Amino acid sequence: MGRTSAAGRANRVRAARTELGLTQAELAAAVDVTRQTVVAVEAGNYAPSVYLALALAAHLGRSVEDLFGDGPAAAADRPHDTEVHS
Amino acid sequence: MTDHRDDLPGDLPGDPPGDTVRTSDDDWFLRAAARVGDLASPFYREERQRDVWNEASAVGLQLVLWLGTAAAAAMVWIGGRAALPYALTMFAVVGVVSGVTLSYARRLGVDVEAPARVFTPRLVPYLLLLAAFLLGLVHAVPGTLPNSFLVGAAAGTGFAVAALLVSARARRRSATP
């Protein structure tokens, strides 16, 4: 497992994004990353930097703890797609 | 709560004094390396892209080290004396690439030569490749290296291999609950 991995840690980015009706591409453009990065973050395959985590939280109207904290909802929100398509 | 407002960063009790991390602005080598690596490219702004590229570069570096050394060893064994300039050039390229990589990391405060990282079983096949290259040099041009150097190199390689095997075994034992 590479060092960019989040070691499969769950997060609630996908749930927050779909709740707002945003596509991955729209969210990616809003926080100035590629769509593949959003896919990887949602899948728990990439641990974002603190700055990207803050940008995601600000754009999704949540706190970083809400999105990436270890709360019980995190496991339930674990996404199924782990592939990053280019 | 203790008020540390007057303390400089890194100057709290227990912090080693003057322990700072350089940036690329401080150092000609880092500035030159940044040019060579095109580190100001917009490509590096996207953080995951940058991380993945860094990993890919690490894989590429390892391949250069291994294949370069293997190619140099093969050249001296197959081509003999005639291949010597090419083999030495190849080996020099491997040396420069490794040297620049290590120096870059070291200047930015990353200790890539910590024994725990260097002395792993991964080093054994590389040392054997290196020994094959050195022996190939001697084979290609008898008398190139003094016998004392060869004895020292052989003993050093043997010692390093033995130390790695012992440390790997100790690590395995300590990892077993």
Side-chain angles (χ1 to χ4, degrees):
Chain A
M1 190 171 282
R3 74 180 183 83
T4 56
S5 170
R9 286 180 68 120
N11 62 69
R12 283 174 286 273
V13 173
R14 187 191 186 91
R17 175 179 61 77
T18 51
E19 215 171 86
L20 290 176
L22 285 172
T23 65
Q24 290 174 328
E26 286 166 344
L27 178 58
V31 296
D32 201 21
V33 295
T34 61
R35 191 183 69 81
Q36 287 90 341
T37 296
V38 171
V39 173
V41 168
E42 288 185 354
N45 288 335
Y46 176 66
S49 71
V50 67
Y51 301 108
L52 178 54
L54 286 167
L56 286 169
H59 200 78
L60 295 171
R62 305 285 184 93
S63 69
V64 172
E65 288 80 3
D66 276 347
L67 292 180
F68 297 100
D70 274 335
D77 289 340
R78 175 125 180 81
H80 299 294
D81 60 330
T82 54
E83 289 289 313
V84 177
H85 300 288
S86 53
Chain B
M1 187 184 279
T2 315
D3 187 349
H4 289 300
R5 279 176 302 178
D6 293 330
D7 288 321
L8 293 171
D11 283 345
L12 297 181
D15 284 332
D19 195 12
T20 58
V21 174
R22 240 186 268 230
T23 69
S24 55
D25 297 333
D26 306 335
D27 186 307
W28 69 268
F29 178 88
L30 293 175
R31 282 198 301 274
R35 286 236 165 175
V36 171
D38 193 21
L39 302 186
S41 162
F43 178 86
Y44 289 104
R45 266 187 233 135
E46 214 280 4
E47 61 176 59
R48 181 174 164 276
Q49 209 162 258
R50 180 178 64 234
D51 281 354
V52 169
W53 179 247
N54 286 345
E55 289 176 354
S57 301
V59 173
L61 172 67
Q62 291 293 327
L63 273 179
V64 167
L65 299 186
W66 285 79
L67 294 180
T69 308
M75 280 180 199
V76 285
W77 280 101
I78 296 168
R81 193 184 195 112
L84 215 53
Y86 309 105
L88 288 173
T89 303
M90 175 70 81
F91 194 66
V93 168
V94 169
V96 169
V97 168
S98 324
V100 168
T101 306
L102 292 175
S103 186
Y104 187 91
R106 204 181 299 127
R107 280 163 188 258
L108 287 172
V110 175
D111 184 11
V112 284
E113 288 159 319
R117 171 167 156 70
V118 175
F119 295 109
T120 63
R122 281 172 58 88
L123 190 60
V124 174
Y126 187 76
L127 286 175
L128 293 176
L129 262 184
L130 204 56
F133 172 66
L134 290 175
L135 289 173
L137 278 184
V138 179
H139 176 258
V141 188
T144 311
L145 298 170
N147 283 342
S148 56
F149 174 81
L150 291 174
V151 171
T157 305
F159 179 76
V161 169
L164 287 169
L165 293 176
V166 167
S167 77
R169 182 187 284 185
R171 215 175 296 155
R172 265 201 306 274
R173 275 189 186 157
S174 65
T176 309

